Amino acid sequence: VFVSFVPRLREVYAVYCQNHDSAVAQLEKYMESPEIVEKLKNCLFKSGKEESLVWSLNSLLIKPVQRVLKYPLLLGKLVELSSQSDAGYKHLLQALEGLQTIAQDINELRRRKDIVEHYVNREGKEDRKISFRSLNKKVRRLKWSLVQKAGFRAKTVDPKFEEEEQRVLFMETLLTSLIKDTQSWMDEVQRVLRSKESLYDSMSHYCVEDTACLADYKSCLKSMTTTCKEHTQRVETRVLEPAQSLLALFQNPLHLIAKREDKRLDYDYFQSALEHAEEPEKIKQLREECLQAKRNYEALNAQLLEELPHFTSKAASLSTHLLKLLLQVHYVSV
């Protein structure tokens, strides 16, 4: 049974355990609201006292995380108490190996997420406090980047990641252009209205006798101003502001892409330094630094490869929706 369910267990538990900490953090925010706390208590009470001895939702959330780590212990004990001649011994070993792999994969996924959250939470703090060590790393990375661009050193390449990176950059450029063009159009509408108002002021000085013409022009100008303001307001609230909010969401992915590039440069640098090192102590130090750089680079690279396709897909869908809304607003106004 365990052997047949290993792929499904990995799929379900990996996602759950990876997002457990975020769920707990969100729950803690909800617990600050007495109204939400009361509703949660009612839901837990309605679940039936005889069905569960655990009344804290936080405790319920941790159960699957604890359970998946207990499966290998259970199977390990069964292997220990079984004989190699038993009919199910081979399957027990397969199930144990599969569940141990799941536990290792879950730990790796959580480690990746911890690294991502670490860099996201540190965003902006590095700029406020630059130490000599961080400055030295920046200079080294810049130098190594120039060396690689010049073709003097090999560069670690991941074609799949580069494809996803280009998609993100394309979507950011598209949104930036949409915001810029929409804002320019709104500014142009305001400029035209100001020019019409200026023309009316001039006409009122030179067409004193033709009051009927002035009145008609003023009435048309008032109607046009009202219509244009209503139209630009709809464009601003339905298209411009949502587009600006969507563009702001690109900040973290782009920051992580930049961090991934930093870690790639570190990894390539230490690899090259290790190849040219001669002293045993230096080799030992560089090997440890290279291993750490490799782990950080691969963790960020893998996490971005997992998350970027979902992000760009949603961003593309929302961008298309915003373009349709823009056309719809213009069509309704016309």
Side-chain angles (χ1 to χ4, degrees):
V1 173
F2 273 110
V3 172
S4 63
F5 274 96
V6 161
R8 180 59 178 162
L9 286 172
R10 185 196 185 284
E11 179 183 348
V12 173
Y13 277 108
V15 175
Y16 185 91
C17 294
Q18 188 178 12
N19 294 303
H20 173 262
D21 291 343
S22 299
V24 171
Q26 191 63 44
L27 177 62
E28 289 176 354
K29 292 182 181 179
Y30 288 152
M31 296 304 283
E32 296 175 1
S33 169
E35 183 180 352
I36 294 178
V37 170
E38 187 63 28
K39 288 184 178 180
L40 288 175
K41 285 182 178 179
N42 291 335
C43 289
L44 290 172
F45 180 77
K46 290 178 182 179
S47 67
K49 190 171 183 179
E50 68 282 356
E51 296 179 12
S52 176
L53 298 176
V54 183
W55 293 110
S56 167
L57 184 55
N58 203 333
S59 299
L60 289 172
L61 289 174
I62 195 64
K63 284 296 180 184
V65 179
Q66 296 172 335
R67 185 68 53 82
V68 73
L69 298 177
K70 288 181 179 179
Y71 287 144
L73 299 176
L74 170 64
L75 290 172
K77 192 65 176 178
L78 289 174
V79 169
E80 181 184 335
L81 298 175
S82 301
S83 172
Q84 295 185 13
S85 60
D86 292 342
Y89 188 79
K90 181 180 178 181
H91 295 299
L92 276 176
L93 288 178
Q94 291 178 345
L96 176 60
E97 182 181 353
L99 287 165
Q100 286 175 336
T101 302
I102 290 176
Q104 292 170 0
D105 291 345
I106 289 173
N107 288 333
E108 177 60 22
L109 288 171
R110 296 187 73 175
R111 189 181 75 85
R112 282 191 217 160
K113 189 169 184 180
D114 288 343
I115 290 175
V116 168
E117 291 180 350
H118 169 72
Y119 288 119
V120 169
N121 293 333
R122 282 179 60 186
E123 184 179 2
K125 295 179 181 178
E126 293 179 346
D127 297 332
R128 293 193 295 269
K129 185 178 180 181
I130 301 179
S131 64
F132 176 78
R133 182 171 178 270
S134 63
L135 183 61
N136 185 48
K137 287 167 65 176
K138 289 178 184 292
V139 172
R140 187 193 68 209
R141 287 166 181 165
L142 177 59
K143 177 183 175 181
W144 197 248
S145 177
L146 294 173
V147 168
Q148 289 186 327
K149 287 179 180 178
F152 296 120
R153 289 289 186 273
K155 174 183 176 181
T156 300
V157 177
D158 186 336
K160 180 62 177 176
F161 174 82
E162 291 182 353
E163 180 183 341
E164 294 299 333
E165 180 184 19
Q166 289 304 312
R167 290 182 64 198
V168 173
L169 295 176
F170 172 76
M171 288 305 307
E172 185 207 19
T173 302
L174 177 66
L175 272 171
T176 302
S177 297
L178 173 62
I179 292 170
K180 182 180 178 181
D181 293 344
T182 303
Q183 188 64 63
S184 297
W185 174 82
M186 293 174 64
D187 293 341
E188 182 63 18
V189 170
Q190 294 300 319
R191 189 194 67 79
V192 170
L193 288 177
R194 288 194 297 270
S195 67
K196 297 298 182 183
E197 292 173 354
S198 179
L199 178 60
Y200 173 77
D201 292 338
S202 299
M203 290 174 61
S204 63
H205 286 90
Y206 295 101
C207 302
V208 179
E209 297 180 358
D210 197 349
T211 55
C213 179
L214 282 174
D216 290 342
Y217 184 88
K218 184 176 183 180
S219 177
C220 289
L221 177 60
K222 183 178 180 181
S223 176
M224 182 174 67
T225 300
T226 301
T227 302
C228 287
K229 285 184 176 180
E230 291 176 352
H231 182 50
T232 54
Q233 182 65 33
R234 283 195 293 270
V235 171
E236 183 175 8
T237 55
R238 298 183 187 180
V239 179
L240 185 60
E241 291 178 356
Q244 290 171 334
S245 298
L246 179 57
L247 183 62
L249 296 178
F250 279 75
Q251 184 176 356
N252 282 344
L254 291 175
H255 176 66
L256 290 174
I257 288 173
K259 281 298 176 185
R260 181 259 185 199
E261 177 64 9
D262 287 344
K263 299 309 172 184
R264 183 197 65 77
L265 289 168
D266 291 343
Y267 176 41
D268 288 350
Y269 169 79
F270 286 121
Q271 268 191 312
S272 179
L274 183 59
E275 291 172 2
H276 295 86
E278 296 179 357
E279 299 177 7
E281 284 297 322
K282 189 66 174 177
I283 291 175
K284 180 181 178 181
Q285 177 188 348
L286 287 172
R287 186 176 287 117
E288 292 175 355
E289 291 177 320
C290 185
L291 179 60
Q292 184 60 42
K294 181 176 184 288
R295 293 185 66 194
N296 288 337
Y297 161 70
E298 290 180 345
L300 274 173
N301 190 69
Q303 191 69 19
L304 286 169
L305 277 174
E306 182 180 333
E307 295 185 3
L308 286 182
H310 300 292
F311 177 80
T312 50
S313 176
K314 294 295 184 182
S317 177
L318 289 171
S319 298
T320 302
H321 181 65
L322 289 174
L323 287 171
K324 289 180 179 178
L325 276 176
L326 182 61
L327 293 174
Q328 189 179 56
V329 169
H330 284 316
Y331 176 77
V332 170
S333 299
V334 172

